[in-house]
Every structure is written in structure tokens, then in C-alpha cells.
């Protein structure tokens, strides 16, 4: 039935303006038949990854309406697996769970990295604007792009993006990495801070005794602050005076990750993995190498780039494991989100297949943001201990394998069409391995 009127214009229309019948389809664009329906994708790290038809349909709609030019999207970051639920009183997560998981897989050399509370961002930086046209077939004056883990432009203002890309380019230049790595472009996996910047508005923690605006999760005007609930309040719109107890702690928890963003000067980017360069996958290198590169970028541009605190762990040495646990305790006590535990070697496959590339271990105060102000009440914690993490862990492994596969194919200059190892349910999952792949 036709609508009476258009009540709200979408950011991107469902149906774009159609090209004329004589318009040729650009050769670089994918055909929907390449990706629709149930797909089975073979990857080097994990064979026969099944993507259900409902997932491909939803992804195609979201990506075609909101994502940046797909020629930039050489990689989408995976989700991060959480550590096993701890049985320690008052804690849902503890480093012992992550250490035990890697010990079971026979991995004893680890690195623990501070988990920044920003938003995941992929940065592709070209040495100059000509590289974008030559390597990515995009006439992009900024000579690079920064996008979210779902493929959307991270910064709505093209001038902000160009400025931040230029600052990263300068950091790479000053660190001497273009010549050292013999490349004219670089893809980085990063966190962009503050967390509030992704919302698109300036956002700072309130210091007033009562919060003046209702935040976006509560249905009111956009703000960093939820309504001022007091203990025992049940309505998210009630206003009973100053906050206290768990709700006040909830506001404090996320307030640490918000600050006003008036210009690019207020943004910080923390690279933690060099994903790829021309002709070479870098994501498989030791995490110790990646942290060294990140430190060099931070030294070259301390106003824009921040390094990541980290500590090495040897599970064969009890003192080393104890030191890492105490390091985590100090982090979360000082207001940090927590840490990510990773194998020192970035990519490991064992007897049980692909080993988790990283396990996050978050502090008890940060988890208020995830589970709510009163999650630390005994009854609530007991319910949360039954959380099922198997699906999240499996998803993290599959997304990681797909991301590495995408990077490997891109640096090998493989074509974007003519798939031989992404197949529908009714066709073989792999043809001649020497044939070009999607």
C-alpha cells in the first residue's frame, strides 16, 4: 500500500537513481550473484566457512547503502573473543581464563596489550594521491581513507578525514617506514579515540550533580549522559536528583572515554597492527614487531598517534604470569578498560585448528557499560556467569580467517570477480587452486 507521505528521508535511499539502459556497468563493480545466497568460502587458515543466506542478504543491503567505495574495503576487522567467565567473587573476567585457554592450545609465549576504549578503525594511507588511483583505482585527493569495522566512513567531514590521513602519512614518513618497508601504501588496524567521536557530536562527561540531557540510548537528545537515576529507580526518564551508587559508577565508567571533539586535534589514533603493504601481508608478523612500529609512529607524531602499553608473558614461568596478572589489576584500577591477550606469533594453527588471535579481558568497572549499572549485584552476576561464549569465539575465528584471506588476495593482485573458492551451496567449494580467486 502506498504511504501517505514520506515521514523521514533516509540517510541513503533504498532505491538509488537508476542508470539509463545504455549505461555500461563499471567493470570493477561486483554482481549481486557473486555474494547472494548461502556461500561457502575456503580460506588458508580455516576451510569451508559457511555464510548463511540471510547474512549475505543483510550484509549486501547495509554495505551497498552505507559503506564507502568497496574498492577501499580490503579488510574488515574481526570481533574479539572474551575470556572465559571467571569463578572469582565479584569478577566476570580475569586473565587466568585467557592464559588457560592458550595453555590448552599449547601456546605459551604471549603478549598482553592495553585495550583502548576507542572505536575500531582501519586506516589506508597512500604515500601520495597518485597511489590511490594506481593501486585502488580511486581518484581520491586525500590519498587514503579511514573506515569503521562495518565499512562506513569513520569521519563524516571529508576535510577531517584528509587531515587525519595526512597526519598519519607524515608519521609514516618521519618514521622512515616507506623506504624501510619498500611500499607506497600501508593498511593499519587501529583504535580511534575518543569513543564518543564515532557518534558524530562533541561529547564530554558531565560534571554537574544532575545530568541535563538524556543520552541517545535513552531516546532523548544526543548526549554522553544517561538520565539521573538514583538507586532503586526503575524508569529511565525519572529525575530524582543527584546520581549515586551503581548509576553514578556507570556514568564514571563511560565518562572516562568521552571528551569534546572540536577538531582533528582532539582525536588520537592508536595503531596496533600493520595489516599489509604493497605486495606483502604484514598481519602475520610477530606482535612484538607491530608494537615496535606503533611506538615509532607515536614518537614521530605524538600529537596524533598514541602507542599501546604492553607486557610479554611466558606461561612456562609462573612469575611472568603473576606479573602480567598484576599488570592487568593495576590497569583496571587506574580506569583502563582492560587488556587483550594475544599469542606473540600473530597467526597460529594447532591441533584444534586456528588458535584465537586475541582474547579480551576487561575490568569490572568497564563491564558496567556492557551489562548495566547494577551488574555487580550478586544475583545479577550469578545469572551472567551462565553467558554462552562459544558462538562469539567461533565468530571471532571465522572473521579473522576471512580478513586475512582478503588481505592475502589483495596483495597478490587477484581479481575481484571470477570466484573459485567462494561458492554457493550447490556448487563445489573449491576449484583448481591455481585459478584466480575472489
Amino acid at each position: 500500500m502506498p504511504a501517505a507521505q514520506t515521514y523521514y528521508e533516509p540517510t541513503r535511499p533504498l532505491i538509488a537513481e537508476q542508470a539509463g539502459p545504455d549505461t555500461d556497468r563499471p567493470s570493477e563493480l561486483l554482481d549481486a550473484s557473486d555474494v547472494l545466497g548461502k556461500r561457502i568460502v575456503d580460506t588458508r587458515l580455516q576451510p569451508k566457512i559457511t555464510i548463511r543466506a540471510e547474512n549475505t542478504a543483510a550484509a549486501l543491503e547495509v554495505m551497498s547503502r552505507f559503506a564507502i567505495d568497496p574498492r577501499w574495503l580490503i579488510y574488515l576487522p574481526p570481533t574479539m573473543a572474551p575470556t572465559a567467565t571467571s569463578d572469582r567473587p565479584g569478577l566476570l573476567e580475569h586473565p587466568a581464563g585467557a592464559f588457560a585457554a592458550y595453555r590448552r592450545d599449547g601456546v605459551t609465549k604471549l603478549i598482553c596489550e592495553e585495550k583502548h576504549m576507542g572505536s575500531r578503525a582501519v586506516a589506508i594511507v597512500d604515500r601520495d594521491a597518485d597511489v590511490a588511483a594506481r593501486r585502488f583505482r580511486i581518484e581520491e585527493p586525500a590519498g587514503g581513507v579511514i573506515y569503521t569495522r562495518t565499512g562506513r566512513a569513520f569521519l563524516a567531514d571529508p576535510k577531517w578525514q584528509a587531515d587525519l590521513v595526512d597526519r598519519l602519512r607524515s608519521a609514516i614518513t618521519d618514521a622512515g617506514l616507506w623506504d624501510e618497508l619498500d611500499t607506497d601504501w600501508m593498511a593499519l588496524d587501529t583504535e580511534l579515540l575518543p569513543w564518543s567521536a564515532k557518534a558524530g557530536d562533541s561529547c564530554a562527561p558531565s560534571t554537574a550533580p544532575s545530568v541535563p540531557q538524556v543520552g541517545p540510548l535513552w531516546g532523548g537528545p544526543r548526549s554522553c549522559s544517561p538520565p539521573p537515576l538514583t538507586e532503586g529507580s526503575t524508569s529511565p526518564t525519572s529525575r530524582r536528583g543527584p546520581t549515586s551508587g551503581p548509576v553514578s559508577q556507570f556514568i564514571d565508567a563511560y565518562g572516562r572515554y568521552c571528551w569534546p571533539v572540536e577538531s582533528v586535534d582532539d582525536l588520537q589514533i592508536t595503531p596496533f597492527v600493520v595489516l599489509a603493504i604493497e605486495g606483502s601481508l604484514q598481519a602475520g608478523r610477530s606482535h612484538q614487531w607491530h608494537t615496535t612500529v606503533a611506538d615509532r609512529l607515536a614518537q614521530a607524531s605524538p600529537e596524533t598517534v598514541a602507542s599501546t602499553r604492553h607486557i610479554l608473558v611466558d606461561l612456562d614461568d609462573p612469575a611472568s604470569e603473576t606479573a602480567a596478572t598484576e599488570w592487568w589489576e593495576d590497569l583496571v584500577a587506574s580506569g583502563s578498560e582492560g587488556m587483550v591477550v594475544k599469542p606473540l606469533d600473530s597467526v597460529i594453527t594447532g591441533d584444534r585448528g586456528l588458535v584465537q588471535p586475541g582474547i579480551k579481558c576487561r575490568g569490572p568497572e568497564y563491564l558496567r557499560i556492557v551489562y548495566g549499572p547494577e551488574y555487580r549485584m550478586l544475583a545479577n552476576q550469578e545469572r551472567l556467569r551462565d553467558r554462552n561464549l562459544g558462538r562469539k569465539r567461533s565468530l571471532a575465528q571465522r572473521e579473522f580467517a576471512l580478513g586475512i584471506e582478503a588481505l592475502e588476495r589483495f596483495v597478490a593482485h587477484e581479481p575481484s570477480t571470477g570466484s573459485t573458492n567462494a561458492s554457493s551451496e550447490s556448487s563445489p567449494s573449491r576449484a583448481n587452486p591455481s585459478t584466480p580467486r575472489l
Side-chain angles (χ1 to χ4, degrees), residues 34-96:
D34 289 334
V35 293
L36 282 176
K38 180 179 178 180
R39 315 301 296 176
I40 301 173
V41 183
D42 252 346
T43 71
R44 178 176 63 85
L45 297 178
Q46 191 164 329
K48 294 181 174 56
I49 297 176
T50 300
I51 305 172
R52 297 180 298 178
E54 58 267 33
N55 295 134
T56 63
L60 181 62
E61 183 201 354
V62 171
M63 297 293 283
S64 60
R65 293 181 64 198
F66 301 109
I68 62 173
D69 191 313
R71 289 170 292 184
W72 281 123
L73 298 178
I74 64 174
Y75 176 80
L76 291 177
T79 189
M80 181 72 67
T83 187
T85 303
S86 174
D87 57 3
R88 287 170 167 78
L91 293 177
L92 282 181
E93 297 183 1
H94 187 271

Side-chain angles (χ1 to χ4, degrees), residues 1-16:
M1 179 180 295
Q5 68 183 76
T6 299
Y7 296 93
Y8 177 78
E9 290 290 349
T11 305
R12 295 282 181 89
L14 278 169
I15 302 176

Side-chain angles (χ1 to χ4, degrees), residues 57-376:
L60 181 62
E61 183 201 354
V62 171
M63 297 293 283
S64 60
R65 293 181 64 198
F66 301 109
I68 62 173
D69 191 313
R71 289 170 292 184
W72 281 123
L73 298 178
I74 64 174
Y75 176 80
L76 291 177
T79 189
M80 181 72 67
T83 187
T85 303
S86 174
D87 57 3
R88 287 170 167 78
L91 293 177
L92 282 181
E93 297 183 1
H94 187 271
F99 297 153
Y102 283 121
R103 189 177 278 110
R104 284 194 299 271
D105 285 324
V107 179
T108 58
K109 305 297 188 215
L110 307 174
I111 185 170
C112 299
E113 299 177 358
E114 180 181 7
K115 193 174 190 306
H116 297 282
M117 186 46 186
S119 300
R120 196 77 170 267
V122 174
I124 298 178
V125 184
D126 300 324
R127 193 167 190 171
D128 54 60
D130 293 339
V131 178
R134 183 178 70 253
R135 185 63 178 93
F136 295 89
R137 305 190 306 282
I138 298 176
E139 297 293 338
E140 174 52 66
V145 69
I146 299 174
Y147 59 88
T148 70
R149 68 179 304 268
T150 56
R152 303 185 186 209
F154 199 104
L155 302 170
D157 188 335
K159 294 181 180 178
W160 281 39
Q161 173 172 275
D163 191 351
L164 191 54
V165 168
D166 190 56
R167 294 181 186 207
L168 284 172
R169 180 183 299 111
S170 296
I172 295 169
T173 300
D174 293 345
L177 291 172
W178 296 123
D179 294 333
E180 181 179 319
L181 297 177
D182 190 22
T183 186
D184 54 12
W185 65 269
M186 184 180 295
L188 300 167
D189 201 355
T190 77
E191 288 269 325
L192 199 150
L193 287 75
W195 179 44
S196 52
K198 194 173 179 181
D201 292 322
S202 296
C203 189
S206 174
T207 56
S210 61
V211 182
Q213 286 188 306
V214 178
L217 294 179
W218 309 92
R222 194 177 290 246
S223 162
C224 248
S225 304
L229 303 185
T230 56
E231 287 296 329
S233 174
T234 58
S235 169
T237 58
S238 55
R239 295 179 176 272
R240 304 184 182 179
T243 60
S244 62
V247 175
S248 179
Q249 292 168 324
F250 176 81
I251 294 172
D252 289 342
Y254 71 73
R256 299 185 183 100
Y257 311 117
C258 302
W259 61 76
V261 178
E262 305 294 341
S263 71
V264 178
D265 293 337
D266 299 316
L267 298 174
Q268 270 199 323
I269 197 159
T270 60
F272 50 88
V273 171
V274 180
L275 293 167
I277 59 176
E278 178 57 31
S280 175
L281 177 77
Q282 300 291 297
R285 297 184 72 157
S286 163
H287 279 297
Q288 201 164 6
W289 179 84
H290 290 291
T291 57
T292 299
V293 171
D295 288 343
R296 290 171 60 183
L297 291 173
Q299 291 167 5
S301 181
E303 301 83 8
T304 300
V305 183
S307 56
T308 298
R309 290 182 288 179
H310 59 277
I311 186 172
L312 300 180
V313 186
D314 181 356
L315 295 183
D316 292 329
D317 180 1
S320 176
E321 185 173 343
T322 298
T325 301
E326 292 174 349
W327 186 75
W328 174 82
E329 292 170 345
D330 291 340
L331 280 179
V332 300
S334 64
S336 174
E337 177 181 344
M339 69 182 183
V340 178
V341 185
K342 304 175 181 178
L344 194 56
D345 294 329
S346 299
V347 181
I348 297 178
T349 53
D351 294 338
R352 299 194 296 172
L354 180 64
V355 173
Q356 283 290 353
I359 298 176
K360 59 187 176 184
C361 182
R362 297 160 292 183
E365 284 307 306
Y366 170 77
L367 287 175
R368 287 188 192 275
I369 303 174
V370 179
Y371 294 117
E374 297 179 335
Y375 95 98
R376 297 195 75 180

